[in-house]
Amino acid sequence: MPLMPRSSATSAAPRLRPYQTQAVDNVIAHFRGSDEPAVVVLPTGSGKSLVIAELARRARGRVLVLAHVRELVEQNHAKYLAYGLEADIFSAGLKRKESARQVVFGSVQSVVNGLEAFAAGDFTLLVIDECHRVALRHGGAESETQTSAAERARASSSYAQVIARLRQARPNLKILGLTATPYRLGEGFLYYRHYHGMVKGPEDAFFRDCVFEQPLRVMVRQGYLAEPRRLDAALAFYDFSHLTAQRNGQFAERDLNGVVQGNRATPQIVADVIERARDREGVMIFAATVAHAEEVLRLLPAEASALVTGATPGPERERLIAAFKARELKYLVNVAVLTTGFDAPHVDVIAILRPTESVGLYQQIVGRGLRLSPGKRDCLVLDYAGNPWDLYAPEIDQARPDSDSEPVQVECPECGFANTFWGKRDGDLVIEHHGRRCQGLLSTRDAIDRAQPGAQDDRSNPETSASAGVGAGANESRSAASGAHEGKGAASGANKGKGAAAGANKAKGAASGASNKVQCTFRFRFKVCDQCGGENDIAARACGHCGERLVDPDDKLRDALKLKHAKVLRVSGMQLQATTNGRGVPRLKVTYHDEDGETLDEWFGLETPAQRHVFERVFLRRHLRAPGSGWQPASAEEAAAEAHRLRAPDFVIARKSGRYWRLGEKLFDYAGRYRTAEAAGGGSYDDSLPANCCTDFNRIG
């Protein structure tokens, strides 16, 4: 491991805060045991530059620190110089292209244009500041997912070229990313595993592990950052709710201008900003478009205001920013150019006059006002665009399903991990959630120990188990590390977990343990393979167990309609009734309705443990609105009384069996081309599905 122990620190070294020291220790611990790329998450204003400087100082080999703007290059370089050490700068914007010293701070575009200076093979550590800009996948390939902007895509390609060149010379190159916002628009988290013992991002994420994270709420509570005090506009505001984002996740400029240009609310909004900022020091205003920003500027006090856009010439931009930092200007209007790499601690008002497409962008904008400054008591956040993001606990791995949803904790029935998903409560009872797969991490040893024949069942996942070197029974593992996770609260509650994995936040060396863990295989919702019966993600196209192509739901519907003795019911409702069958035996009757009143019935016995087991396996696992909750009705009466805990399928397919139609497949989470009952709201059927496909159903005996 090319990092020196802390004992070699010089007396001139700046004093790190406790969380900065922990971040450095966790990085070193991770890279002592792994070559996999890692991430450190620190809020804006928390001192990422000092963490970078300390890591560079303690490195034995050569270090390259990359940033995407020259301001960050200069800022990171200055922190390193504070140690009394020297380092080179490789940045055309700073008119310096030096690369001989042990530590080099460079702008990514300058480095990619001068890669021959970095081909010697003696660089052992690559640090990427603002690493959320890197859209790569595990193995070095670029993501095929649409990035948030063409500029970011170009930047990502530049990072890929630098990484490829450095790895060509040194395959075990250590790569560390730092960011305040560890996610990308439309893609979710940029890393796979979190050191608290959970899976956060895609399995093919380039950055494998988050080895340290300092929550913003903790930073504010401990007095390291100013408190953000958000006020949503009550009278004057812009309505962007009808706009639709483009494929890259951003709003088109013409659509934004259609809302803000000439809007009668603009003079009221600017007047409100001026009034609320009367006793404030520095105001940053984030406008929607250049035309909008120019209009806002005309309404501000001319002698105390300035505008910076992407088209502002470099020298003029530097002059205006310097004047603002010197408090010669009070108002600084910008259009998406001062969201990163801008440091003006006296800013105590953030006015948002634009929609923010991602929680990351929202956090970066608000972060401009959270640094501490003498006499600064808080930061006033004025939102005139109705942005929905939660600054402290954003849920960004999936969109909020509806306005009534809230973060809920769902314990995995296999490993005990406390997942956080969008869902709904009835008091303390979780009655619905939208989780797909358990996010808990199991130690490989635990998985192997529990992968015994007696522990196997048909819910095992050979794909995941094989990658971990374990058998099919790993799905039944009860990991002590993740099972002890007792996190309470919503999205950020996992940070307070009391289990062994969460406790690693204070244990040196724990960061490296994440790479030796595998994701729990339990799926709350799943798609079953027709060939092998294996469970897969509901969006999977190929089976992860046998490799066979998963049949498309639309193909299933079409194939069923071609059969002489098959019927398709487009479900509009489901009813449960405790009754008796034709022989007077107690049964639970489940009736599915279509929009024309046709029905199809399904019957279950719940009198014996064996019957209840069948009911759980055949019915409950697919129908529960909160799967994995452990609810197991003991009687037909209890099942009927708690019917609100169940969901209806979108389609059911029945086949003729003697005199009756026997229910076969059920399609849940349908996202195909045929209209579902929930989306229809009445009216005629889609012409692509025959209108008579749901008639003449008889009861299943």
Side-chain angles (χ1 to χ4, degrees), residues 502-529:
N505 187 28
K506 298 183 181 296
K508 292 185 174 69
S512 61
S515 60
N516 296 321
K517 296 185 177 184
V518 294
Q519 185 176 2
C520 175
T521 58
F522 182 79
R523 296 185 185 277
F524 294 94
R525 288 188 169 85
F526 48 86
K527 181 188 292 184
V528 178
C529 174

Side-chain angles (χ1 to χ4, degrees), residues 70 308-320:
R70 63 185 183 184
V308 175
T309 71
T312 305
E316 175 67 4
R317 173 174 168 168
E318 291 179 5
R319 184 187 69 81
L320 293 175

Side-chain angles (χ1 to χ4, degrees), residues 629-685:
S629 63
W631 177 62
Q632 173 69 69
S635 65
E637 288 77 12
E638 182 183 350
E642 297 288 323
H644 62 281
R645 302 178 65 163
L646 303 169
R647 62 174 182 154
D650 298 313
F651 288 91
V652 293
I653 299 174
R655 287 174 172 79
K656 198 66 173 291
S657 177
R659 295 186 298 113
Y660 304 115
W661 290 103
R662 184 169 299 279
L663 190 112
E665 291 186 88
K666 303 174 185 177
L667 302 184
F668 292 85
D669 305 300
Y670 178 78
R673 59 188 292 257
Y674 298 129
R675 175 175 53 82
T676 65
E678 286 80 357
S684 61
Y685 287 126

